Amino acid sequence: MADQKRTGPRRGVDWEDMRVFLALGRHGSLSAAARALSVNHATIARRIQSLEDRLGDKLVDRRPDGYALTPAGRLALAAASEMEAAALTLAREGDEDDAVRGLVRVNAPPALSQGFLIDRLARLSAVHPGLDLDLATDLRPVSLDRHRADIAVRLMRPRDGDFIAKPLGTMGFGFYGTPAICAAVEGGAAPVFVGFDEENADMPDATWLAQHFPRRRVAFRANNHMSQAIAARTGAGLALLPHYIGRQVPGLRECAQTPTREAREMWLLIRGQDRKARAIRTVADHLQQVFEEERALFVP
């Protein structure tokens, strides 16, 4: 059937079909797309079928965790995004005040969001009243490919994909604890650690700690660095923390414990097709600026 579709004639597309396809590509399921557009499931399915018929290609595959785009679907999604961006540009040109408007979704690790980004990102809401911000703080990265985020802050550069990657600097690490615990460890006492929970034992920092301190005792476990810092502040043990957290949490000081985890690169990512989207560019530029202004908070 797919082969029959590909050999069929291609006709002009309906923008409403494309708008529904955008929602499905971004949200990944019929129910989520239906909620976003305030329509029912049948309307979503009918519009997707209509678009596939018009384009002569299968655009989505149904999977247990939702819908996945086919290669033709990824091309169609990129084209639909460009159409949407062009429509938004025309709308902005018609605005007398030329204000920045729209929803921009940012994805970043939870500790980086809670310990650094929330306060600094929220300032944009006051500067641009028409700008809506959505900060997703998932421990596992949210997909840019599937349009579940518009901007991502990552601790590694992507190796493939149509992304524009901007360096944000490096994130240094150290062991932090209460002054009493640090003094004891620096005096020769065996360190007791605060670390990641078992569900996140494959996280890079958890793996590093296990490799370098194989006989360690982990007295308290939590799923992100901010929670670990709070536990360390109460005296639970030493926490391997990014400097931007350890230096800001009252009651903690850096401990002279070696070895120390190597610094990690930070990158800001946007899709190549969004490079001219004004709202996304405004948020991306702001993020680059705040990371540059507060570089000393991150470096060793």
Side-chain angles (χ1 to χ4, degrees):
M1 183 174 179
D3 290 338
Q4 291 177 347
K5 282 187 176 183
R6 279 193 290 271
T7 57
R10 291 176 178 256
R11 296 173 288 159
V13 299
D14 185 325
W15 168 242
E16 283 302 308
D17 292 348
M18 293 293 275
R19 189 170 73 93
V20 168
F21 177 61
L22 266 174
L24 181 63
R26 287 172 175 169
H27 296 283
S29 72
L30 286 179
S31 57
R35 285 195 301 270
L37 298 177
S38 299
V39 298
N40 58 41
H41 292 199
T43 297
I44 302 292
R46 177 172 54 80
R47 287 288 185 179
I48 298 302
Q49 185 63 55
S50 171
L51 185 60
E52 288 183 330
D53 290 343
R54 287 175 179 272
L55 294 179
D57 265 311
K58 185 177 181 181
L59 303 180
V60 294
D61 285 321
R62 175 145 195 163
R63 296 181 179 177
D65 60 344
Y67 281 81
L69 298 177
T70 64
R74 287 192 290 272
L75 290 175
L77 189 65
S81 297
E82 291 177 0
M83 291 171 64
E84 182 186 52
L88 291 173
T89 298
L90 290 173
R92 285 194 297 267
E93 289 176 352
D95 290 338
E96 293 182 1
D97 58 1
D98 199 29
V100 177
R101 292 187 174 88
L103 171 65
V104 178
R105 296 159 300 165
V106 181
N107 173 233
L112 187 60
S113 298
Q114 296 165 20
F116 183 75
L117 286 178
I118 291 176
D119 176 58
R120 293 156 179 88
L121 189 59
R123 298 172 192 167
L124 274 180
S125 298
V127 177
H128 302 288
L131 181 64
D132 297 327
L133 296 167
D134 184 334
L135 179 60
T137 60
D138 302 66
L139 193 58
R140 309 290 175 172
V142 169
S143 173
L144 285 176
D145 274 334
R146 294 182 67 170
H147 287 248
R148 292 184 176 177
D150 303 302
I151 297 172
V153 178
R154 297 281 188 265
L155 298 184
M156 64 176 63
R157 185 171 187 171
R159 296 176 182 174
D160 52 27
D162 181 24
F163 300 122
I164 297 174
K166 304 272 189 179
L168 295 174
T170 58
M171 178 187 292
F173 292 82
F175 286 101
Y176 287 84
T178 63
I181 285 182
C182 287
V185 171
E186 290 164 351
V192 174
F193 295 104
V194 173
F196 278 91
D197 57 16
E198 291 184 356
E199 184 177 349
N200 296 289
D202 60 339
M203 298 299 290
D205 294 346
T207 302
W208 184 93
L209 190 65
Q211 289 174 344
H212 289 83
F213 296 88
R215 295 180 180 85
R216 75 205 186 286
R217 177 189 167 207
V218 181
F220 190 91
R221 302 171 190 268
N223 70 355
N224 70 79
H225 285 129
M226 280 300 299
S227 298
Q228 292 164 21
I230 294 170
R233 185 179 62 187
T234 67
L238 290 183
L240 176 63
L241 299 174
H243 289 310
Y244 75 89
I245 293 179
R247 291 167 179 169
Q248 293 188 97
V249 174
L252 292 180
R253 79 163 174 88
E254 188 173 4
C255 181
Q257 171 69 52
T258 57
T260 303
R261 196 201 193 304
E262 65 277 4
R264 301 183 69 183
E265 294 181 337
M266 298 181 292
W267 294 87
L268 183 145
L269 309 178
I270 65 171
R271 291 178 293 271
Q273 66 210 46
D274 292 335
R275 63 188 179 277
K276 294 182 179 179
R278 188 177 178 202
I280 294 174
R281 194 176 67 245
T282 297
V283 177
D285 289 347
H286 174 75
L287 288 174
Q288 284 186 272
Q289 180 181 347
V290 297
F291 273 96
E292 177 61 32
E293 290 174 350
E294 306 205 41
R295 184 179 298 270
L297 193 58
F298 290 86
V299 297

